């Protein structure tokens, strides 16, 4: 068996060599005839002198060879060299004759020193590099165009003339000044969530994985997973960051301040989760360009960082349906639209029913039904929608204009009737909440180190309640409107790769109107207040990724026209990497806020959305001011992550009516402050496709009202202990998350029974917030699966269940005198019961 195989191999090798030998020993042909044949076949022209080819004969190359292959063959068989110029002209030289060259010296334009190892790229893909003297050379081509590049310098395009080879070019490169990118800690709590060197959390919805109870990357639901952020009543319209109230947070959508953040009166975020590209959340140490907030900043941007292709998607869940589309009008412009609407007009799902029951607990609407027990009838209509539009246009290489528009609306109509003792009583209630906004921005890159951005914005908010009753033929109208507009100017100066300076100016005007109108008896009151503020901002940033130092400091100088009052607000962010795994971070800020939400009466606006916006008057309604400092230690190694942060926060200028008291302070308006001292802890471990984390928050949060008989007592929004856990599994297109939340009960005020005459009760309370509600505990689960067809259509199916164990969690409690029994009754409000949700999405 072995010999035949060896013989076959030798036989094949013999004929191969024989064939090659026969080709080499073919008939010799004059060189001139060979190149004439090549000229005809490839439509080229040879340039040569007769003396270089005289008497030269050789075997011609095969006609099947390419032009380049034939030239290589001829060069190998002769003493000639061939210079191919654009596959049109071919120069023939003797090999001892030098071809024309282009040479040059490359140096830095700043210090005039030569640049070694600069890369020279020619159109024919040839590459050479400079030596220690910055010198380079290459053979001359018909198109002498080349690029010179080097790390740290701007790439330069050179078109060389017909200069002599002895006259070398002298080329100066400009330094490229770019900011070093911040190092991020990726996948905190879930994929798509990271933490930046400036202390902010960044959420990328399009990269978002999954969290317990969430099947969509809802910005305001997701941020409640961050330690120190929670909502005591499960509402995205009542987010408490380190003990603050919801209105003390600044919510921005593409530069527009949003005064309404929730649909369904707080249970769903107004920000379409399928639209945002980046969500930045600052608990402390925010940029000096952010004003008008004494707590956190939530900045949502729907502008992509890089160009994206056309996209269309549509989805539906058990509350709403939405569509999204992005279309590139040209290489320099695109339009993006989104729309979302509730499906309650067509169907009442189990999810909707649970939401409705939760929202309308202990409101004037449910009070009516509970007080009537004869022939009660009701008809309700509820719906919401939101829509956005973005148009972006690049003008030339340096300018870009972006227009953003957003509209949000919730509308509730409830008709109720009952017959009691042959008397018909009915109520027709209408509650409308809406927010419109627009922002026009212009950005110009003057050069690589200087950028200017100007934007003009407007935000208009309205909350309207209209109640008509048959008894007394009475009409009650309440309206709260906000009109906010302004202009922002921001300049960015990059000094070098590590240091940059930002400066700017901001003008803001906010007008708030509160209207109350009643018929039978007639009453009318309309109050409008307007504040105009000016702000000068400057901040500098030093970012050295090699020495692991990040330092940003700035200040904001505010001037309020009406009060002729100045305020200075310094901000600081410092991050130092002790090692590659261990970082220490110091954040601090002073901030102020001129507008806030208050509650005049708990039954205002039917007790559903009872808060109304007002502005400071610098007397009975002070300007709120905050100061905060925090120290953070962050460790990340081998898929382990530890994050511990201690903070101190004090907010002054608060008034009792902004804190939602439902005790002896409900009808008292006094000013004071609150102080919070706390610790936030997070431990996380990633194991292949599995991620698990545990967070714990401790808060000691106290009010201080100097003019009150009890000057110090616990804050209404204090949660002394909060514990959260999640286990997340992600593999390929399947994701599932299980998690639990546990917290000590919020403070409440109990009646002093020893001082109450039960036969003719009048509420007498103990010291404010003298006790607490029962603990809050909830287990949630969610899962999604995504698949794609052969034609590129993506499908995504999601399911979630909130409160799997159907635990009855009490989230608020107060006392009142019952009009039916003339006794003290305890009024309790509970969280959502077991609530399922199902979603389906198609993306093209």
């Amino acid at each position: 068996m072995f010999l035949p195989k060896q013989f076959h191999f030798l036989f094949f090798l013999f004929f191969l060599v024989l064939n090659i030998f026969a080709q080499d020993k073919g008939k010799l042909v004059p060189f001139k005839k060979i190149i004439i044949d090549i000229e005809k076949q490839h439509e080229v022209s040879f340039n040569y002198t007769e003396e270089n080819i005289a008497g030269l004969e050789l075997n011609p190359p095969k006609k099947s060879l390419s032009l380049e292959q034939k030239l290589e063959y001829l060069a190998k068989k002769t003493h000639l060299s061939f210079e191919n110029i654009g596959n049109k002209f071919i120069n023939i030289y003797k090999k001892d004759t030098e071809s024309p060259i282009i040479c040059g010296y490359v140096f830095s334009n700043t210090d005039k020193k030569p640049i070694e190892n600069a890369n020279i790229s020619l159109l024919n893909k040839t590459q050479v590099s400079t030596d220690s003297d910055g010198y380079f050379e290459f053979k001359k081509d018909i198109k002498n165009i080349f690029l010179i590049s080097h790390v740290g310098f701007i790439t330069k395009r050179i078109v060389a003339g017909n200069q002599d080879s002895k006259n070398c070019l002298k080329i100066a490169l400009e330094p490229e000044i770019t900011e070093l990118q911040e190092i991020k800690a990726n996948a905190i709590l879930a994929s798509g969530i990271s933490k930046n060197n400036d202390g902010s959390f960044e959420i990328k919805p399009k990269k978002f994985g999954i969290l317990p109870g969430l099947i969509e990357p809802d910005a305001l639901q997701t941020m409640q997973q961050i330690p120190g952020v929670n909502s005591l009543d499960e509402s995205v319209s009542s987010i408490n960051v380190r003990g603050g109230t919801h209105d003390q947070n600044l919510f921005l959508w593409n530069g527009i301040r949003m005064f309404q953040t929730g649909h369904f009166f707080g249970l769903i975020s107004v920000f379409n989760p399928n639209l945002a590209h980046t969500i930045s959340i600052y608990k402390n140490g925010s940029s000096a360009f952010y004003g008008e907030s004494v707590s956190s900043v939530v900045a949502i941007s729907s502008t992509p960082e890089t160009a994206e292709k056309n996209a269309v998607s549509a989805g539906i869940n058990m509350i709403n349906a939405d569509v999204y589309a992005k279309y590139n009008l040209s290489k320099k412009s695109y339009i993006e639209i989104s729309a979302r609407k509730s499906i309650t007009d067509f169907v009442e799902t189990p999810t909707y029913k649970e939401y409705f029951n939760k929202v309308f607990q202990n409101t004037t609407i449910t009070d009516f039904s509970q007080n009537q027990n004869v022939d009660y009838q009701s008809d309700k209509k509820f719906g919401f929608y939101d829509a956005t539009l973005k148009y972006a246009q690049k003008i030339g290489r340096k300018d870009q204009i972006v227009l953003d528009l957003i509209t949000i609306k919730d509308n509730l109509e409830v008709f109720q009737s009952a017959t009691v003792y042959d008397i018909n009583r009915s109520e027709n209630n209408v509650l409308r909440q809406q927010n419109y906004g627009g922002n026009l921005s212009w950005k110009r890159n003057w050069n690589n180190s200087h950028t200017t951005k100007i934007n003009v914005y407007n935000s208009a908010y309205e909350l309207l309640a209209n109640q008509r009753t048959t008894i007394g033929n009475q009409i009650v109208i309440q309206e709260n409107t906000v009109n906010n507009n302004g202009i922002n100017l921001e300049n960015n100066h990059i000094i070098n790769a590590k240091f940059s300076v930002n400066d700017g100016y901001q003008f803001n005007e906010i007008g708030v109107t509160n209207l109350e109108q009643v018929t039978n008896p007639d009453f009318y009151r309309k109050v409008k207040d307007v504040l105009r503020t000016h702000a000068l901002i400057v901040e500098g940033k030093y970012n050295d990724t090699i020495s692991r130092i990040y330092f940003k400091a700035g200040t904001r100088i505010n001037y309020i026209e009406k009060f002729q009052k100045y305020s200075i607000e310094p901000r600081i962010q410092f991050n130092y990497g002790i090692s590659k795994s261990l970082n220490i971070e110091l954040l601090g800020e002073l901030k102020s806020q001129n507008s806030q939400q208050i509650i005049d009466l708990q039954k205002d606006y039917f007790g559903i959305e009872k808060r109304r916006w007002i502005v400071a008057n610098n007397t009975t309604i002070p300007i709120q001011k905050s100061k905060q400092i925090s120290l953070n230690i962050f460790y990340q190694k081998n898929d382990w992550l530890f994050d511990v942060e201690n903070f101190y926060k004090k907010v002054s200028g608060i008034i009792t009516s902004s804190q939602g008291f439902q005790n002896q302070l409900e009808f008292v308006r006094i000013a004071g402050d609150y102080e919070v001292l706390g610790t936030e802890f997070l431990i996380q471990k990633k194991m292949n496709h599995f991620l698990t984390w545990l967070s714990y928050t401790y808060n000691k949060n106290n009010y201080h009202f100097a003019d009150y008989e009890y000057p110090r007592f616990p804050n209404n929004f204090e949660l002394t202990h909060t514990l959260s856990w999640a286990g997340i599994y992600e593999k390929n297109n399947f994701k599932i998350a299980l998690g639990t939340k546990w917290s000590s009960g919020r403070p409440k005020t109990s009646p002093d029974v020893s001082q109450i005459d039960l036969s003719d009760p009048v509420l007498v309370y103990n010291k404010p917030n003298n006790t607490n509600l029962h603990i809050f505990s909830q287990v949630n689960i969610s899962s999604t699966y995504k698949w794609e067809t052969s034609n590129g259509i993506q499908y995504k199916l999601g399911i979630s269940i909130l409160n799997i164990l159907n635990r009855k969690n009490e989230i608020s409690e107060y006392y009142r005198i019952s009009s039916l029994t003339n006794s003290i009754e305890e009024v309790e409000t509970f969280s959502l019961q077991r609530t399922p949700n199902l979603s389906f999405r198609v993306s093209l």
Side-chain angles (χ1 to χ4, degrees):
M1 296 294 293
F2 175 76
L3 287 177
K5 284 187 177 181
Q6 185 182 45
F7 175 79
H8 291 158
F9 172 76
L10 292 174
F11 185 81
F12 171 79
L13 184 63
F14 171 77
F15 274 95
L16 179 63
V17 172
L18 182 64
N19 183 62
I20 296 173
F21 180 79
Q23 178 179 326
D24 285 344
K25 291 298 182 180
K27 185 178 180 181
L28 299 180
V29 177
F31 182 84
K32 190 170 184 177
K33 185 178 186 309
I34 293 174
I35 62 176
I36 291 174
D37 292 338
I38 294 175
E39 285 180 329
K40 292 179 180 179
Q41 183 181 355
H42 295 282
E43 297 181 343
V44 296
S45 178
F46 285 91
N47 299 316
Y48 55 90
T49 59
E50 288 291 336
E51 62 181 8
N52 287 340
I53 65 170
L56 187 61
E57 293 182 339
L58 70 157
N59 292 319
K62 289 184 177 181
K63 288 189 176 183
S64 60
L65 296 177
S66 66
L67 177 62
E68 286 297 324
Q69 290 173 327
K70 289 176 181 177
L71 295 179
E72 289 176 6
Y73 174 83
L74 295 176
K76 189 181 297 185
K77 298 297 181 180
T78 65
H79 59 282
L80 303 175
S81 63
F82 299 82
E83 182 186 15
N84 185 354
I85 304 175
N87 287 333
K88 291 292 183 182
F89 304 96
I90 301 174
N91 297 329
I92 302 177
Y93 305 97
K94 282 190 175 181
K95 287 184 178 178
D96 57 353
T97 302
E98 292 186 3
S99 300
I101 64 168
I102 289 178
C103 60
Y105 292 89
V106 181
F107 59 91
S108 171
N109 195 37
T110 54
D111 55 14
K112 309 303 179 184
K113 291 182 179 180
I115 300 175
E116 186 178 4
N117 293 323
N119 188 50
I120 317 297
S121 302
L122 283 69
L123 292 181
N124 61 9
K125 297 184 180 180
T126 302
Q127 291 191 345
V128 296
S129 59
T130 58
D131 60 18
S132 58
D133 295 323
Y135 177 79
F136 69 90
E137 67 174 43
F138 56 84
K139 290 182 180 180
K140 199 171 184 180
D141 197 356
I142 189 170
K143 291 183 179 179
N144 301 310
I145 302 173
F146 55 96
L147 299 176
I148 302 180
S149 60
H150 191 277
V151 175
F153 293 89
I154 299 173
T155 300
K156 199 167 189 177
R157 184 175 184 267
I158 303 295
V159 179
N162 294 319
Q163 66 269 14
D164 194 318
S165 299
K166 296 179 181 179
N167 297 324
C168 293
L169 300 170
K170 293 181 180 179
I171 303 168
L173 296 185
E174 296 289 342
E176 182 177 30
I177 304 175
T178 55
E179 289 186 283
L180 295 174
Q181 295 296 312
E182 296 177 18
I183 297 177
K184 300 178 181 179
N186 293 317
I188 291 185
L189 304 175
S191 55
I193 305 177
S194 58
K195 187 176 182 182
N196 295 327
N197 279 343
D198 62 2
S200 67
F201 286 83
E202 186 175 276
I203 303 172
K204 296 284 189 181
K206 293 190 176 181
K207 298 180 181 179
F208 180 76
I210 194 169
L211 282 169
L214 296 181
I215 48 179
E216 294 178 321
D218 186 295
L220 305 187
Q221 294 284 3
T222 301
M223 71 178 288
Q224 293 179 45
Q225 306 289 333
I226 298 173
V229 182
N230 52 59
S231 176
L232 274 68
D233 62 0
E234 293 186 312
S235 168
V236 296
S237 293
S238 184
I239 293 177
N240 315 112
V241 179
R242 291 179 172 173
T245 54
H246 182 78
D247 59 299
Q248 292 174 344
N249 303 312
L250 176 65
F251 295 94
L252 295 173
W253 184 84
N254 289 321
I256 305 167
R257 184 181 179 187
M258 303 303 298
F259 296 90
Q260 178 184 348
T261 58
H263 281 312
F264 219 132
F265 306 106
L267 289 179
I268 304 168
S269 168
V270 298
F271 307 113
N272 191 325
N274 302 295
L275 182 65
H277 287 271
T278 305
I279 303 164
S280 300
I281 301 167
Y282 298 83
K283 294 188 290 183
N284 186 18
S286 57
S287 167
F289 282 88
Y290 294 123
E292 197 56 30
S293 102
V294 291
S295 197
S296 74
V297 175
V298 180
I300 301 173
S301 171
S302 64
T303 303
E305 296 174 352
T306 57
E308 296 183 344
K309 62 181 181 179
N310 296 336
V312 177
S313 66
I316 189 170
N317 57 38
M318 297 177 76
I319 293 294
N320 58 259
D322 76 281
V323 293
Y324 165 81
K326 178 183 179 294
Y327 180 70
N328 293 309
L329 301 172
S330 67
K331 291 183 178 180
K332 293 187 176 183
S333 65
Y334 69 87
I335 188 170
E336 185 179 60
I337 59 173
S338 73
R340 181 171 53 159
K341 191 180 187 310
S342 58
I343 60 173
T344 54
D345 295 341
F346 312 103
V347 61
E348 291 188 2
T349 64
T351 309
Y352 167 78
K353 292 177 181 178
E354 288 296 337
Y355 279 17
F356 189 90
N357 293 335
K358 195 269 181 186
V359 168
F360 296 103
Q361 292 179 86
N362 304 318
T363 63
T364 59
I365 293 173
T366 52
D367 285 349
F368 182 95
S369 63
Q370 291 168 359
N371 292 337
Q372 315 302 323
N373 52 17
V374 180
D375 193 21
Y376 171 76
Q377 296 179 349
S378 71
D379 181 30
K380 58 183 181 293
K381 292 181 180 179
F382 172 75
F384 66 81
Y385 70 81
D386 60 69
T388 66
L389 168 69
K390 177 189 287 289
Y391 172 73
Q393 174 71 59
K394 288 185 177 179
I395 303 173
R397 296 183 178 180
K398 296 187 175 183
D399 297 275
Q400 184 181 32
I401 294 177
V402 179
L403 173 67
D404 286 292
L405 300 174
I406 185 170
T407 178
I408 299 162
K409 186 175 182 179
D410 285 64
N411 194 73
L412 171 69
E413 297 180 17
V414 180
F415 177 78
Q416 301 178 104
S417 66
T419 303
V420 182
Y421 303 116
D422 297 324
I423 298 175
N424 180 270
R425 180 189 173 192
S426 66
E427 284 186 358
N428 191 12
N429 304 298
V430 177
L431 181 63
R432 182 174 71 232
Q433 187 180 26
Q434 55 191 3
N435 202 156
Y436 306 102
N439 181 59
L440 178 63
S441 67
W442 168 68
K443 183 179 180 180
R444 179 172 178 81
N445 297 318
W446 301 96
N447 51 49
N448 290 321
S449 60
H450 182 200
T451 303
T452 296
K453 184 178 180 180
I454 299 176
N455 65 290
V456 181
Y457 63 89
N458 175 264
S459 181
Y461 168 81
E462 180 192 37
L463 178 63
L464 174 68
N466 189 321
Q467 183 183 53
R468 297 172 182 266
T469 59
T470 55
I471 299 296
N473 192 28
Q474 188 180 64
I475 300 175
V476 179
I477 298 174
Q478 293 178 307
E479 185 179 33
N480 176 225
T481 62
V482 181
N483 191 39
N484 178 229
N485 54 74
I487 181 170
N488 295 336
L489 166 66
E490 181 178 349
N491 289 301
N492 176 258
H493 312 273
I494 302 175
I495 310 304
N496 54 46
K498 299 178 182 178
F499 184 63
S500 64
V501 175
N502 296 339
D503 59 77
Y505 164 79
Q506 294 179 355
F507 168 77
N508 180 270
E509 179 185 71
I510 182 169
V512 178
T513 303
N514 280 288
L515 168 70
E516 292 180 271
Q517 184 176 356
V518 181
T519 62
N520 293 331
D522 291 342
F523 174 81
Y524 182 85
R525 181 176 64 184
K526 183 177 182 181
V527 180
K528 182 176 183 179
D529 295 293
V530 178
L531 284 184
R532 298 181 182 91
T533 59
H534 305 264
L536 294 175
I537 304 108
V538 62
E539 62 183 12
K541 182 173 72 173
Y542 178 82
N543 183 22
D544 188 346
T545 56
I546 297 176
S547 58
R548 298 188 290 271
I549 295 176
Y550 178 93
F551 179 72
K552 186 176 182 180
T555 189
R556 179 186 182 91
I557 303 174
N558 296 319
Y559 174 71
I560 304 175
E561 285 185 8
K562 189 174 183 178
F563 310 141
Q564 297 183 346
K565 190 172 183 177
Y566 289 92
S567 64
I568 300 176
E569 303 175 359
R571 317 283 174 86
I572 185 174
Q573 305 163 3
F574 175 74
N575 189 304
Y576 175 63
I578 298 173
S579 67
K580 291 183 178 180
S581 305
L582 182 63
N583 283 62
I584 187 169
E585 175 186 81
L586 177 68
L587 302 175
E589 64 182 18
L590 295 182
K591 297 201 292 188
S592 65
Q593 184 171 334
N594 302 320
S595 58
Q596 59 183 295
Q597 285 182 307
I598 65 167
I599 300 174
D600 277 343
L601 298 171
Q602 290 291 334
K603 298 303 182 184
D604 284 349
Y605 300 97
F606 313 134
I608 300 173
E609 178 51 88
K610 49 203 171 188
R611 297 166 299 177
R612 64 179 74 195
W613 286 95
I614 61 170
V615 294
N617 59 19
N618 207 31
T619 53
T620 57
I621 308 173
I623 299 170
Q624 297 184 74
K625 295 183 178 181
S626 71
K627 55 184 177 182
Q628 185 177 186
I629 190 168
S630 60
L631 181 64
N632 173 265
I633 296 176
F634 186 89
Y635 179 81
Q636 186 176 24
K637 189 175 183 180
N638 297 331
D639 293 325
W640 280 99
L641 185 152
F642 300 90
D643 190 357
V644 181
E645 187 165 6
N646 295 291
F647 70 90
Y648 168 80
K649 176 181 177 182
K650 181 177 181 179
V651 178
S652 59
I654 65 169
I655 54 177
T656 48
S657 53
S658 69
Q659 300 298 301
F661 285 105
Q662 290 182 286
N663 52 21
Q664 62 266 54
L665 288 168
E666 181 176 351
F667 304 106
V668 177
R669 179 175 288 187
I670 53 177
D673 59 61
Y674 68 83
E675 282 185 302
V676 191
L677 190 65
T679 298
E680 297 161 356
F681 173 77
L682 173 67
I683 180 172
Q684 176 180 294
K685 173 63 176 176
K686 190 176 188 305
M687 297 167 285
N688 296 323
H689 302 288
F690 183 71
L691 176 74
T692 185
W693 53 262
L694 178 72
S695 71
Y696 168 75
T697 302
Y698 169 81
N699 275 351
K700 188 64 177 176
N701 190 350
N702 285 313
Y703 286 123
H704 180 241
F705 294 105
D707 298 331
Y708 186 58
E709 60 177 317
Y710 303 108
R712 294 186 68 86
F713 55 90
N715 192 304
N716 291 340
F717 302 99
E718 179 188 67
L719 288 180
T720 306
H721 305 284
T722 304
L723 190 69
S724 297
W725 169 84
I728 302 169
Y729 180 80
E730 296 184 21
K731 186 174 182 181
N732 299 327
N733 295 322
F734 175 73
K735 301 173 184 178
I736 188 170
L738 176 69
T740 183
K741 288 182 178 182
W742 179 95
S743 65
S744 51
R746 66 184 297 183
K748 73 168 186 176
T749 306
S750 63
D752 188 350
V753 181
S754 64
Q755 299 187 43
I756 298 176
D757 182 0
L758 297 180
S759 62
D760 186 20
V762 176
L763 278 172
V764 179
Y765 290 96
N766 286 302
K767 180 182 177 180
N769 294 340
N770 64 310
T771 185
N772 293 81
L773 299 178
H774 297 296
I775 63 171
F776 178 98
S777 178
Q778 190 179 84
V779 179
N780 305 316
I781 191 172
S782 58
S783 181
T784 63
Y785 180 71
K786 184 170 65 176
W787 69 97
E788 184 174 339
T789 61
S790 58
N791 55 2
I793 300 176
Q794 289 186 351
Y795 299 90
K796 184 179 180 181
L797 181 67
I799 185 171
S800 68
I801 303 175
L802 295 174
N803 197 5
I804 301 173
L805 303 180
N806 205 28
R807 178 182 170 88
K808 197 172 184 180
N809 289 303
E810 188 181 6
I811 56 178
S812 75
E813 181 181 308
Y814 67 95
Y815 299 86
R816 67 185 179 187
I817 304 297
S818 171
S819 59
L820 296 178
T821 63
N822 193 34
S823 62
I824 297 175
E825 66 176 350
E826 186 180 56
V827 182
E828 299 173 313
T829 303
F830 296 94
S831 67
L832 282 169
Q833 298 297 292
R834 184 186 295 119
T835 306
N837 199 359
L838 186 68
S839 71
F840 180 69
R841 188 160 200 86
V842 181
S843 301
L844 304 179

